[in-house]
mmCIF file of all heavy atoms in Angstrom:
data_model
loop_
_atom_site.group_PDB
_atom_site.id
_atom_site.type_symbol
_atom_site.label_atom_id
_atom_site.label_comp_id
_atom_site.label_asym_id
_atom_site.label_seq_id
_atom_site.Cartn_x
_atom_site.Cartn_y
_atom_site.Cartn_z
ATOM 1 N N ALA A 1 -5.320 11.400 -13.692
ATOM 2 C CA ALA A 1 -4.598 10.508 -12.767
ATOM 3 C C ALA A 1 -3.273 10.063 -13.385
ATOM 4 O O ALA A 1 -2.248 9.975 -12.699
ATOM 5 C CB ALA A 1 -5.457 9.295 -12.428
ATOM 6 N N GLY A 2 -3.289 9.805 -14.696
ATOM 7 C CA GLY A 2 -2.066 9.419 -15.401
ATOM 8 C C GLY A 2 -1.045 10.540 -15.393
ATOM 9 O O GLY A 2 0.164 10.309 -15.269
ATOM 10 N N GLU A 3 -1.528 11.776 -15.499
ATOM 11 C CA GLU A 3 -0.616 12.937 -15.498
ATOM 12 C C GLU A 3 0.017 13.138 -14.116
ATOM 13 O O GLU A 3 1.185 13.491 -14.011
ATOM 14 C CB GLU A 3 -1.383 14.200 -15.899
ATOM 15 C CG GLU A 3 -2.001 14.101 -17.272
ATOM 16 C CD GLU A 3 -1.752 15.331 -18.127
ATOM 17 O OE1 GLU A 3 -1.969 16.439 -17.623
ATOM 18 O OE2 GLU A 3 -1.326 15.163 -19.284
ATOM 19 N N VAL A 4 -0.792 12.924 -13.072
ATOM 20 C CA VAL A 4 -0.277 13.054 -11.699
ATOM 21 C C VAL A 4 0.704 11.910 -11.423
ATOM 22 O O VAL A 4 1.654 12.045 -10.656
ATOM 23 C CB VAL A 4 -1.457 12.999 -10.682
ATOM 24 C CG1 VAL A 4 -0.964 12.897 -9.251
ATOM 25 C CG2 VAL A 4 -2.342 14.226 -10.839
ATOM 26 N N GLY A 5 0.444 10.772 -12.065
ATOM 27 C CA GLY A 5 1.227 9.550 -11.824
ATOM 28 C C GLY A 5 0.425 8.631 -10.920
ATOM 29 O O GLY A 5 0.065 9.018 -9.801
ATOM 30 N N LEU A 6 0.106 7.423 -11.410
ATOM 31 C CA LEU A 6 -0.746 6.520 -10.621
ATOM 32 C C LEU A 6 -0.088 6.123 -9.302
ATOM 33 O O LEU A 6 -0.770 5.897 -8.309
ATOM 34 C CB LEU A 6 -1.123 5.275 -11.436
ATOM 35 C CG LEU A 6 -1.916 5.522 -12.731
ATOM 36 C CD1 LEU A 6 -2.438 4.207 -13.299
ATOM 37 C CD2 LEU A 6 -3.083 6.477 -12.514
ATOM 38 N N PHE A 7 1.241 6.072 -9.297
ATOM 39 C CA PHE A 7 1.961 5.771 -8.045
ATOM 40 C C PHE A 7 1.614 6.834 -6.996
ATOM 41 O O PHE A 7 1.316 6.521 -5.836
ATOM 42 C CB PHE A 7 3.479 5.733 -8.301
ATOM 43 C CG PHE A 7 4.287 5.571 -7.039
ATOM 44 C CD1 PHE A 7 4.465 4.312 -6.468
ATOM 45 C CD2 PHE A 7 4.853 6.671 -6.406
ATOM 46 C CE1 PHE A 7 5.198 4.169 -5.289
ATOM 47 C CE2 PHE A 7 5.590 6.531 -5.229
ATOM 48 C CZ PHE A 7 5.769 5.273 -4.675
ATOM 49 N N ASN A 8 1.628 8.109 -7.411
ATOM 50 C CA ASN A 8 1.321 9.218 -6.487
ATOM 51 C C ASN A 8 -0.136 9.184 -6.032
ATOM 52 O O ASN A 8 -0.447 9.511 -4.883
ATOM 53 C CB ASN A 8 1.618 10.569 -7.157
ATOM 54 C CG ASN A 8 3.083 10.711 -7.500
ATOM 55 O OD1 ASN A 8 3.935 10.187 -6.780
ATOM 56 N ND2 ASN A 8 3.388 11.384 -8.590
ATOM 57 N N VAL A 9 -1.018 8.778 -6.943
ATOM 58 C CA VAL A 9 -2.442 8.668 -6.599
ATOM 59 C C VAL A 9 -2.619 7.612 -5.500
ATOM 60 O O VAL A 9 -3.304 7.841 -4.494
ATOM 61 C CB VAL A 9 -3.288 8.297 -7.854
ATOM 62 C CG1 VAL A 9 -4.734 7.992 -7.464
ATOM 63 C CG2 VAL A 9 -3.255 9.435 -8.878
ATOM 64 N N VAL A 10 -1.970 6.464 -5.675
ATOM 65 C CA VAL A 10 -2.074 5.373 -4.692
ATOM 66 C C VAL A 10 -1.498 5.804 -3.343
ATOM 67 O O VAL A 10 -2.080 5.514 -2.291
ATOM 68 C CB VAL A 10 -1.385 4.087 -5.227
ATOM 69 C CG1 VAL A 10 -1.221 3.051 -4.131
ATOM 70 C CG2 VAL A 10 -2.206 3.508 -6.379
ATOM 71 N N GLN A 11 -0.374 6.532 -3.358
ATOM 72 C CA GLN A 11 0.229 7.028 -2.098
ATOM 73 C C GLN A 11 -0.758 7.910 -1.340
ATOM 74 O O GLN A 11 -0.925 7.788 -0.128
ATOM 75 C CB GLN A 11 1.505 7.835 -2.387
ATOM 76 C CG GLN A 11 2.672 7.035 -2.966
ATOM 77 C CD GLN A 11 3.122 5.934 -2.015
ATOM 78 O OE1 GLN A 11 2.748 4.770 -2.177
ATOM 79 N NE2 GLN A 11 3.901 6.303 -1.013
ATOM 80 N N ALA A 12 -1.410 8.829 -2.089
ATOM 81 C CA ALA A 12 -2.384 9.741 -1.460
ATOM 82 C C ALA A 12 -3.553 8.941 -0.882
ATOM 83 O O ALA A 12 -4.030 9.209 0.228
ATOM 84 C CB ALA A 12 -2.890 10.754 -2.490
ATOM 85 N N MET A 13 -4.006 7.923 -1.631
ATOM 86 C CA MET A 13 -5.127 7.106 -1.160
ATOM 87 C C MET A 13 -4.777 6.351 0.115
ATOM 88 O O MET A 13 -5.601 6.245 1.032
ATOM 89 C CB MET A 13 -5.554 6.135 -2.269
ATOM 90 C CG MET A 13 -6.317 6.827 -3.389
ATOM 91 S SD MET A 13 -6.538 5.815 -4.864
ATOM 92 C CE MET A 13 -7.383 4.421 -4.186
ATOM 93 N N ASN A 14 -3.555 5.853 0.197
ATOM 94 C CA ASN A 14 -3.111 5.161 1.419
ATOM 95 C C ASN A 14 -3.130 6.117 2.615
ATOM 96 O O ASN A 14 -3.457 5.740 3.740
ATOM 97 C CB ASN A 14 -1.698 4.577 1.235
ATOM 98 C CG ASN A 14 -1.701 3.430 0.230
ATOM 99 O OD1 ASN A 14 -2.728 2.795 0.003
ATOM 100 N ND2 ASN A 14 -0.557 3.157 -0.380
ATOM 101 N N ARG A 15 -2.797 7.375 2.341
ATOM 102 C CA ARG A 15 -2.813 8.412 3.393
ATOM 103 C C ARG A 15 -4.250 8.657 3.857
ATOM 104 O O ARG A 15 -4.523 8.733 5.053
ATOM 105 C CB ARG A 15 -2.204 9.692 2.812
ATOM 106 C CG ARG A 15 -1.537 10.600 3.801
ATOM 107 C CD ARG A 15 -0.679 11.663 3.157
ATOM 108 N NE ARG A 15 -1.374 12.520 2.222
ATOM 109 C CZ ARG A 15 -1.077 12.614 0.925
ATOM 110 N NH1 ARG A 15 -0.105 11.876 0.405
ATOM 111 N NH2 ARG A 15 -1.742 13.423 0.126
ATOM 112 N N PHE A 16 -5.195 8.757 2.892
ATOM 113 C CA PHE A 16 -6.602 9.015 3.243
ATOM 114 C C PHE A 16 -7.195 7.846 4.030
ATOM 115 O O PHE A 16 -8.065 8.037 4.875
ATOM 116 C CB PHE A 16 -7.449 9.267 1.981
ATOM 117 C CG PHE A 16 -6.976 10.424 1.135
ATOM 118 C CD1 PHE A 16 -7.148 10.417 -0.253
ATOM 119 C CD2 PHE A 16 -6.360 11.526 1.711
ATOM 120 C CE1 PHE A 16 -6.711 11.472 -1.029
ATOM 121 C CE2 PHE A 16 -5.910 12.598 0.930
ATOM 122 C CZ PHE A 16 -6.088 12.567 -0.443
ATOM 123 N N ALA A 17 -6.713 6.638 3.743
ATOM 124 C CA ALA A 17 -7.241 5.441 4.428
ATOM 125 C C ALA A 17 -6.925 5.477 5.926
ATOM 126 O O ALA A 17 -7.597 4.822 6.723
ATOM 127 C CB ALA A 17 -6.665 4.176 3.797
ATOM 128 N N ARG A 18 -5.903 6.261 6.316
ATOM 129 C CA ARG A 18 -5.523 6.335 7.741
ATOM 130 C C ARG A 18 -6.358 7.354 8.513
ATOM 131 O O ARG A 18 -6.231 7.489 9.722
ATOM 132 C CB ARG A 18 -4.022 6.660 7.875
ATOM 133 C CG ARG A 18 -3.128 5.531 7.356
ATOM 134 C CD ARG A 18 -1.682 5.705 7.790
ATOM 135 N NE ARG A 18 -1.014 6.816 7.136
ATOM 136 C CZ ARG A 18 -0.370 6.729 5.952
ATOM 137 N NH1 ARG A 18 -0.326 5.573 5.313
ATOM 138 N NH2 ARG A 18 0.214 7.775 5.428
ATOM 139 N N ASN A 19 -7.210 8.105 7.804
ATOM 140 C CA ASN A 19 -8.036 9.137 8.432
ATOM 141 C C ASN A 19 -9.236 8.457 9.110
ATOM 142 O O ASN A 19 -10.071 7.857 8.446
ATOM 143 C CB ASN A 19 -8.507 10.118 7.346
ATOM 144 C CG ASN A 19 -9.499 11.160 7.851
ATOM 145 O OD1 ASN A 19 -9.971 11.110 8.984
ATOM 146 N ND2 ASN A 19 -9.827 12.103 6.988
ATOM 147 N N PRO A 20 -9.344 8.542 10.447
ATOM 148 C CA PRO A 20 -10.415 7.809 11.158
ATOM 149 C C PRO A 20 -11.827 8.267 10.803
ATOM 150 O O PRO A 20 -12.788 7.539 11.018
ATOM 151 C CB PRO A 20 -10.110 8.074 12.638
ATOM 152 C CG PRO A 20 -9.283 9.321 12.650
ATOM 153 C CD PRO A 20 -8.493 9.317 11.378
ATOM 154 N N ASN A 21 -11.967 9.486 10.247
ATOM 155 C CA ASN A 21 -13.306 9.992 9.915
ATOM 156 C C ASN A 21 -13.695 9.733 8.464
ATOM 157 O O ASN A 21 -14.763 10.144 8.014
ATOM 158 C CB ASN A 21 -13.391 11.497 10.213
ATOM 159 C CG ASN A 21 -13.168 11.774 11.681
ATOM 160 O OD1 ASN A 21 -13.764 11.114 12.529
ATOM 161 N ND2 ASN A 21 -12.291 12.719 12.001
ATOM 162 N N ASP A 22 -12.812 9.086 7.715
ATOM 163 C CA ASP A 22 -13.086 8.769 6.313
ATOM 164 C C ASP A 22 -13.502 7.298 6.236
ATOM 165 O O ASP A 22 -13.724 6.649 7.256
ATOM 166 C CB ASP A 22 -11.835 9.053 5.469
ATOM 167 C CG ASP A 22 -12.147 9.278 3.991
ATOM 168 O OD1 ASP A 22 -13.133 8.707 3.498
ATOM 169 O OD2 ASP A 22 -11.385 10.010 3.324
ATOM 170 N N ASP A 23 -13.602 6.759 5.024
ATOM 171 C CA ASP A 23 -13.990 5.366 4.819
ATOM 172 C C ASP A 23 -12.753 4.604 4.333
ATOM 173 O O ASP A 23 -12.449 4.597 3.145
ATOM 174 C CB ASP A 23 -15.129 5.315 3.787
ATOM 175 C CG ASP A 23 -15.614 3.902 3.514
ATOM 176 O OD1 ASP A 23 -14.995 2.951 4.038
ATOM 177 O OD2 ASP A 23 -16.597 3.741 2.768
ATOM 178 N N ALA A 24 -12.050 3.970 5.267
ATOM 179 C CA ALA A 24 -10.771 3.308 4.950
ATOM 180 C C ALA A 24 -10.933 2.233 3.878
ATOM 181 O O ALA A 24 -10.083 2.086 2.998
ATOM 182 C CB ALA A 24 -10.172 2.697 6.217
ATOM 183 N N ASP A 25 -12.045 1.497 3.918
ATOM 184 C CA ASP A 25 -12.261 0.423 2.934
ATOM 185 C C ASP A 25 -12.297 0.967 1.510
ATOM 186 O O ASP A 25 -11.750 0.372 0.586
ATOM 187 C CB ASP A 25 -13.582 -0.318 3.208
ATOM 188 C CG ASP A 25 -13.473 -1.204 4.443
ATOM 189 O OD1 ASP A 25 -12.334 -1.448 4.897
ATOM 190 O OD2 ASP A 25 -14.516 -1.629 4.972
ATOM 191 N N PHE A 26 -12.974 2.114 1.356
ATOM 192 C CA PHE A 26 -13.082 2.677 0.005
ATOM 193 C C PHE A 26 -11.713 3.029 -0.569
ATOM 194 O O PHE A 26 -11.475 2.909 -1.762
ATOM 195 C CB PHE A 26 -13.982 3.927 -0.027
ATOM 196 C CG PHE A 26 -13.918 4.627 -1.366
ATOM 197 C CD1 PHE A 26 -14.507 4.058 -2.482
ATOM 198 C CD2 PHE A 26 -13.194 5.808 -1.528
ATOM 199 C CE1 PHE A 26 -14.400 4.660 -3.738
ATOM 200 C CE2 PHE A 26 -13.083 6.418 -2.774
ATOM 201 C CZ PHE A 26 -13.699 5.843 -3.882
ATOM 202 N N TRP A 27 -10.797 3.474 0.309
ATOM 203 C CA TRP A 27 -9.495 3.941 -0.185
ATOM 204 C C TRP A 27 -8.514 2.800 -0.475
ATOM 205 O O TRP A 27 -7.371 3.048 -0.812
ATOM 206 C CB TRP A 27 -8.885 4.957 0.780
ATOM 207 C CG TRP A 27 -9.577 6.290 0.720
ATOM 208 C CD1 TRP A 27 -10.209 6.930 1.732
ATOM 209 C CD2 TRP A 27 -9.689 7.162 -0.422
ATOM 210 N NE1 TRP A 27 -10.719 8.131 1.307
ATOM 211 C CE2 TRP A 27 -10.406 8.304 -0.014
ATOM 212 C CE3 TRP A 27 -9.258 7.083 -1.753
ATOM 213 C CZ2 TRP A 27 -10.717 9.353 -0.872
ATOM 214 C CZ3 TRP A 27 -9.571 8.127 -2.619
ATOM 215 C CH2 TRP A 27 -10.283 9.249 -2.182
ATOM 216 N N GLN A 28 -8.943 1.537 -0.341
ATOM 217 C CA GLN A 28 -8.089 0.443 -0.831
ATOM 218 C C GLN A 28 -8.055 0.587 -2.344
ATOM 219 O O GLN A 28 -9.107 0.536 -2.986
ATOM 220 C CB GLN A 28 -8.693 -0.934 -0.463
ATOM 221 C CG GLN A 28 -8.752 -1.203 1.028
ATOM 222 C CD GLN A 28 -7.426 -0.928 1.728
ATOM 223 O OE1 GLN A 28 -6.388 -1.423 1.316
ATOM 224 N NE2 GLN A 28 -7.474 -0.124 2.777
ATOM 225 N N PRO A 29 -6.876 0.786 -2.957
ATOM 226 C CA PRO A 29 -6.845 0.995 -4.414
ATOM 227 C C PRO A 29 -7.482 -0.184 -5.154
ATOM 228 O O PRO A 29 -7.281 -1.335 -4.785
ATOM 229 C CB PRO A 29 -5.345 1.086 -4.726
ATOM 230 C CG PRO A 29 -4.708 1.487 -3.437
ATOM 231 C CD PRO A 29 -5.534 0.860 -2.350
ATOM 232 N N ALA A 30 -8.289 0.130 -6.168
ATOM 233 C CA ALA A 30 -8.871 -0.917 -7.019
ATOM 234 C C ALA A 30 -7.718 -1.755 -7.568
ATOM 235 O O ALA A 30 -6.656 -1.201 -7.902
ATOM 236 C CB ALA A 30 -9.645 -0.274 -8.164
ATOM 237 N N PRO A 31 -7.873 -3.100 -7.665
ATOM 238 C CA PRO A 31 -6.778 -3.958 -8.141
ATOM 239 C C PRO A 31 -6.133 -3.470 -9.451
ATOM 240 O O PRO A 31 -4.917 -3.490 -9.584
ATOM 241 C CB PRO A 31 -7.449 -5.318 -8.324
ATOM 242 C CG PRO A 31 -8.563 -5.312 -7.317
ATOM 243 C CD PRO A 31 -9.051 -3.892 -7.258
ATOM 244 N N LEU A 32 -6.966 -2.984 -10.383
ATOM 245 C CA LEU A 32 -6.417 -2.489 -11.662
ATOM 246 C C LEU A 32 -5.518 -1.273 -11.434
ATOM 247 O O LEU A 32 -4.428 -1.176 -12.011
ATOM 248 C CB LEU A 32 -7.566 -2.130 -12.611
ATOM 249 C CG LEU A 32 -7.143 -1.498 -13.949
ATOM 250 C CD1 LEU A 32 -6.383 -2.491 -14.820
ATOM 251 C CD2 LEU A 32 -8.359 -0.962 -14.713
ATOM 252 N N LEU A 33 -5.959 -0.364 -10.571
ATOM 253 C CA LEU A 33 -5.177 0.836 -10.262
ATOM 254 C C LEU A 33 -3.858 0.446 -9.594
ATOM 255 O O LEU A 33 -2.782 0.927 -9.975
ATOM 256 C CB LEU A 33 -6.000 1.760 -9.350
ATOM 257 C CG LEU A 33 -5.300 2.995 -8.760
ATOM 258 C CD1 LEU A 33 -4.672 3.857 -9.840
ATOM 259 C CD2 LEU A 33 -6.287 3.830 -7.944
ATOM 260 N N ALA A 34 -3.913 -0.455 -8.617
ATOM 261 C CA ALA A 34 -2.707 -0.901 -7.904
ATOM 262 C C ALA A 34 -1.714 -1.549 -8.875
ATOM 263 O O ALA A 34 -0.507 -1.284 -8.831
ATOM 264 C CB ALA A 34 -3.086 -1.875 -6.799
ATOM 265 N N LYS A 35 -2.240 -2.384 -9.780
ATOM 266 C CA LYS A 35 -1.401 -3.108 -10.743
ATOM 267 C C LYS A 35 -0.703 -2.127 -11.701
ATOM 268 O O LYS A 35 0.511 -2.191 -11.911
ATOM 269 C CB LYS A 35 -2.291 -4.081 -11.530
ATOM 270 C CG LYS A 35 -1.575 -4.906 -12.599
ATOM 271 C CD LYS A 35 -2.572 -5.880 -13.249
ATOM 272 C CE LYS A 35 -1.982 -6.629 -14.414
ATOM 273 N NZ LYS A 35 -1.794 -5.783 -15.624
ATOM 274 N N LEU A 36 -1.489 -1.186 -12.265
ATOM 275 C CA LEU A 36 -0.913 -0.216 -13.214
ATOM 276 C C LEU A 36 0.107 0.685 -12.518
ATOM 277 O O LEU A 36 1.157 1.006 -13.083
ATOM 278 C CB LEU A 36 -2.008 0.634 -13.854
ATOM 279 C CG LEU A 36 -2.981 -0.097 -14.797
ATOM 280 C CD1 LEU A 36 -4.109 0.818 -15.231
ATOM 281 C CD2 LEU A 36 -2.258 -0.636 -16.024
ATOM 282 N N ALA A 37 -0.198 1.071 -11.268
ATOM 283 C CA ALA A 37 0.735 1.935 -10.505
ATOM 284 C C ALA A 37 2.057 1.196 -10.274
ATOM 285 O O ALA A 37 3.138 1.769 -10.434
ATOM 286 C CB ALA A 37 0.093 2.343 -9.178
ATOM 287 N N ALA A 38 1.956 -0.086 -9.919
ATOM 288 C CA ALA A 38 3.162 -0.878 -9.646
ATOM 289 C C ALA A 38 4.005 -1.061 -10.915
ATOM 290 O O ALA A 38 5.234 -1.117 -10.859
ATOM 291 C CB ALA A 38 2.764 -2.254 -9.101
ATOM 292 N N GLU A 39 3.321 -1.088 -12.073
ATOM 293 C CA GLU A 39 4.052 -1.290 -13.351
ATOM 294 C C GLU A 39 4.462 0.022 -13.985
ATOM 295 O O GLU A 39 5.043 0.036 -15.062
ATOM 296 C CB GLU A 39 3.152 -2.077 -14.328
ATOM 297 C CG GLU A 39 2.888 -3.521 -13.894
ATOM 298 C CD GLU A 39 1.766 -4.180 -14.708
ATOM 299 O OE1 GLU A 39 1.169 -3.498 -15.581
ATOM 300 O OE2 GLU A 39 1.499 -5.371 -14.470
ATOM 301 N N GLY A 40 4.122 1.134 -13.335
ATOM 302 C CA GLY A 40 4.467 2.448 -13.887
ATOM 303 C C GLY A 40 3.692 2.796 -15.148
ATOM 304 O O GLY A 40 4.147 3.551 -15.994
ATOM 305 N N LYS A 41 2.484 2.227 -15.280
ATOM 306 C CA LYS A 41 1.669 2.461 -16.482
ATOM 307 C C LYS A 41 0.518 3.429 -16.201
ATOM 308 O O LYS A 41 0.323 3.852 -15.063
ATOM 309 C CB LYS A 41 1.093 1.127 -16.983
ATOM 310 C CG LYS A 41 2.123 0.191 -17.565
ATOM 311 C CD LYS A 41 1.464 -1.072 -18.067
ATOM 312 C CE LYS A 41 2.518 -2.018 -18.669
ATOM 313 N NZ LYS A 41 1.940 -3.380 -18.816
#
């Protein structure tokens, strides 16, 4: 995930959350993931 870039991981997850046949709640990024992505870590 770090190699892909956490920012990119979060973007993809936001996209999956819009899929009506998936589980939108699950794709809310974990707070730690969101925080690290926002800080570029």
Side-chain angles (χ1 to χ4, degrees):
E3 300 227 312
V4 171
L6 299 190
F7 174 81
N8 297 327
V9 172
V10 168
Q11 294 299 99
M13 286 168 58
N14 292 337
R15 208 166 57 242
F16 302 149
R18 293 194 290 272
N19 174 353
N21 298 313
D22 202 330
D23 181 354
D25 287 346
F26 171 72
W27 287 120
Q28 295 311 308
L32 176 67
L33 172 55
K35 179 177 174 287
L36 293 173
E39 293 168 358
K41 290 182 180 165

